[in-house]
Amino acid sequence: MATVRICICGDESVGKSSLLTSLVKDTFVTEKINDVLPPITLPPGLGTPDNITTTIVDTSPLPQERETLRKELRKCNVVLLIYSDHYSYERVALFWMPFFRSLGVNVPVVLCSNKSDLAPGTSTAQVIEDEMLPLMAEFKEIDSCIRTSAREHHNINEAFFLCQKAVTHPIAPIYDAKESHLRPAAVDALKRVFYLCDKDGDGLLDDREINDFQMKCFEKPLADTDLVNIKKSIQQSFEETFEVPYPVSEKGIDVRGFLLLNKMFAEKGRHETIWIILRKFHYSDSLSLKESFLHPKFDVPAFSSCELSPVGYRFFVDLFILHDKDNDGGLNDAELAALFAPTPGIPSAWIDSAFPGCTVRNEAGHITLQGWLAQWSMTTFEDPRTTLEYLAYLGFEMEGKGTTPALKVTKPRKMRNKPGRVERSVFLCYVLGAPASGKSALLNSFLSRPLNGTYHPTIKPRTAVNSVELPGGKQCYLILEELGELEPAILENQVKLDACDLLCFSYDSSDPDSFAYILDIRKRYPKLDAIPAVYAALKADKDSAVQRTELQPDVYCEQQKVPKPLHVSVGWASISEFFVHLAESATFPSQAFPRTEESKTDRTGLYIALGGSICTAIAVAWVWKRSMLSTA
């Protein structure tokens, strides 16, 4: 529940207390009123908008009460500044506004011309033009202005409503009255709203999309006549500026028309309508998305991981299809730019991982749907906070549940050397091995990239992510990461090791010094023994060389009681089977651990079944015996 504190200021005898009394009594009070009234609190429901509580504080302009005035001004949310004649009007610019500034009071000011009954021949329009607009142009703190009369009970409620609205729906952040245009932050926010409401992505809001927007924001349908009038108003405004093409057509309203409509709301004093729209789309008073919406509470327990849920995958599939305008199965630069338009841009982590080079692309170099889903699977696995943030920017939201239903947390995996399946579908595999052993070529092959014969040492960590189909048809995502020069730091980091599902120890089978590197890192980092591992003899299409180590790779693996190295080559068609083997080893990690002894047969299930059968037989016999006795 919001609270608004209004401080009434102005010179003596301008009618401050009369105005407040007229509000409370709902009529003009002819009896003598105290010079300063005590604070009054209006609870929700008594003419207050947005279910807010309003506290109104009367003040004295006398010098001896100046300290009290300062304290009240520093506590208030809005100032109602009243004048009633030429002298008190001049004092607004000469004393009151400079006084507010000297205190550092950064709150909106509602300017009120009271006692309008004493100038019956003066029109409100003339007062606004001659008195109020010059002050508003000079002092940007003045949010709005109004002409009142306590005696005639004219615009009393409206004056205090303006004060409340200046706090709950401030115009300054969204509209520049001097330049007569929406502020850049408001334009960006409203463009995102337009993007999210344009469900078919054609750049226009058709009648159905406009009505959906109306229901979402205001929870009531838009009458056909109102829709026609809105389009007519937008069209007329653009005709006055001689801009073409027009923002309104038979197909709908474009983003220029949508922005113009909101500008018209601001110009007509209906900026609360703009705030209703922005807040419905989770914008804060600073015109940024609310932190609680961008980053909701979402905990991932130790030894668990985070993945996209089915609705999360469905959202990203629909997003890809919507923006693949040329239907070539890939997102080109323009299509990616349009997709990420309502966001801060492509995630920085993607740029660091050389996106889209880290995932599947088509022949033109554009990310495919397979690569798109793989990329988001990797992002969710590594940093679910980023995925939640972009889900919010891109418009995913389940009513009352926010963005978290798009994600799911896997079951913890603690003892990986015990038989059993790991209940997850995204796996991280560190590819370790000597320089020039073929690790980068292996990652390229995983993404179906052609073999590059030129050797380029890996400096920064490099990642490749793709989907793998396991036997039985289940699909999972495998993240292969080559650590580069950060290998020592990563292998010493327990958090990084806990996140790793599998190690791929690779060596160049044609280089006699390659396997020694594996033996060295296994010796230097004993914590690697707690992670399942697969050994791979790369470049198997070349002549095999005897390794200059005390034990040859096959003998070493036999002694360690782990499967012998798999001989693979990126030039072989069977290389895809190797990636399936990696995914299987991550899914069933016990098969990638040393086997020191044969697992004892678990007869628990047999004993339970046997016990159940015996109990059933006893029960049947007892029932039969009872039935026989009753018959006798």
Side-chain angles (χ1 to χ4, degrees), residues 442 509 536-541 566-572 574-575 578:
L442 187 69
S509 60
L538 303 181
K539 303 183 183 180
D541 55 329
L566 296 173
H567 289 256
V568 296
S569 169
V570 297
W572 293 348
S574 60
I575 186 66
F578 175 70

Side-chain angles (χ1 to χ4, degrees), residues 67-275:
E67 186 58 34
T68 302
L69 175 61
R70 290 191 183 97
K71 290 179 180 179
E72 292 298 341
L73 283 170
R74 290 193 173 104
K75 290 192 293 184
C76 73
N77 303 114
V78 58
V79 174
L80 178 61
L81 180 56
I82 302 174
Y83 72 91
S84 62
D85 53 24
H86 182 73
Y87 174 77
S88 57
Y89 168 75
E90 291 291 333
R91 289 261 299 166
V92 169
L94 294 176
F95 172 75
W96 285 107
M97 295 307 299
F99 178 64
F100 297 155
R101 288 182 174 181
S102 69
L103 295 177
V105 176
N106 186 25
V107 297
V109 175
V110 174
L111 187 61
C112 176
S113 174
N114 195 25
K115 301 185 179 182
S116 61
D117 56 288
L118 298 181
T122 307
S123 67
T124 299
Q126 184 179 348
V127 171
I128 292 174
E129 181 71 25
D130 297 341
E131 298 178 3
M132 295 179 171
L133 288 182
L135 286 174
M136 294 182 72
E138 183 178 357
F139 301 101
K140 294 304 176 187
E141 302 94 317
I142 300 178
D143 180 89
S144 55
C145 56
I146 191 169
R147 196 175 185 217
T148 62
S149 170
R151 181 177 296 277
E152 297 178 350
H153 199 69
H154 175 64
N155 277 347
I156 304 301
N157 292 67
E158 288 78 2
F160 289 96
F161 177 75
L162 283 179
C163 292
Q164 294 163 330
K165 194 168 70 169
V167 177
T168 59
H169 303 94
I171 192 171
I174 58 178
Y175 185 71
D176 187 334
K178 183 178 180 180
E179 300 295 335
S180 298
H181 59 61
L182 295 171
R183 296 191 183 277
V187 170
D188 291 342
L190 290 169
K191 281 183 176 179
R192 177 178 169 274
V193 171
F194 179 92
Y195 168 93
L196 297 181
C197 295
D198 181 19
K199 298 297 184 181
D200 55 9
D202 64 350
L204 295 170
L205 293 184
D206 58 31
D207 290 355
R208 178 183 56 81
E209 290 167 338
I210 293 174
N211 275 296
D212 290 345
F213 163 76
Q214 170 77 13
M215 287 298 297
K216 177 179 175 67
C217 295
F218 306 102
E219 299 179 357
K220 59 182 179 180
L222 192 66
D224 293 340
T225 54
D226 292 337
L227 183 56
V228 171
N229 291 333
I230 288 173
K231 292 180 178 180
K232 187 180 296 184
S233 298
I234 296 172
Q235 187 78 358
Q236 289 174 348
S237 180
F238 260 78
E239 287 174 352
E240 293 172 1
T241 62
F242 303 103
E243 289 192 36
V244 290
Y246 292 135
V248 181
S249 66
E250 293 181 357
K251 294 182 178 180
I253 301 172
D254 68 12
V255 67
R256 297 173 303 149
F258 184 72
L259 292 175
L260 178 59
L261 177 62
N262 283 276
K263 179 187 174 187
M264 291 162 60
F265 288 149
E267 290 173 340
K268 293 178 180 179
R270 293 179 54 194
H271 42 280
E272 71 273 11
T273 302
I274 303 175
W275 277 115

Side-chain angles (χ1 to χ4, degrees), residues 192 196 279-284 286-298 342-345 376 383-397 401-407:
R192 177 178 169 274
L196 297 181
R279 286 170 179 161
K280 204 67 177 181
F281 284 85
H282 305 285
Y283 280 93
S284 65
S286 62
L287 291 179
S288 60
L289 286 178
K290 293 179 181 177
E291 180 67 17
S292 59
F293 180 61
L294 277 180
H295 303 121
K297 182 177 175 57
F298 190 84
T343 75
W376 279 112
D383 186 11
R385 180 182 171 91
T386 295
T387 300
L388 288 171
E389 180 180 330
Y390 275 78
L391 284 166
Y393 280 122
L394 293 167
F396 177 89
E397 182 182 6
K401 297 181 180 179
T403 56
T404 54
L407 274 57

Side-chain angles (χ1 to χ4, degrees), residues 453-486:
T454 306
Y455 172 66
H456 297 284
T458 300
I459 307 301
K460 294 174 58 179
R462 185 178 169 223
T463 303
V465 58
N466 199 352
S467 59
V468 176
E469 186 174 319
L470 297 172
K474 178 177 175 159
Q475 188 181 66
C476 68
Y477 290 94
L478 184 61
I479 305 167
L480 300 182
E481 187 167 349
E482 185 184 0
L483 306 183
E485 293 186 348
L486 291 182

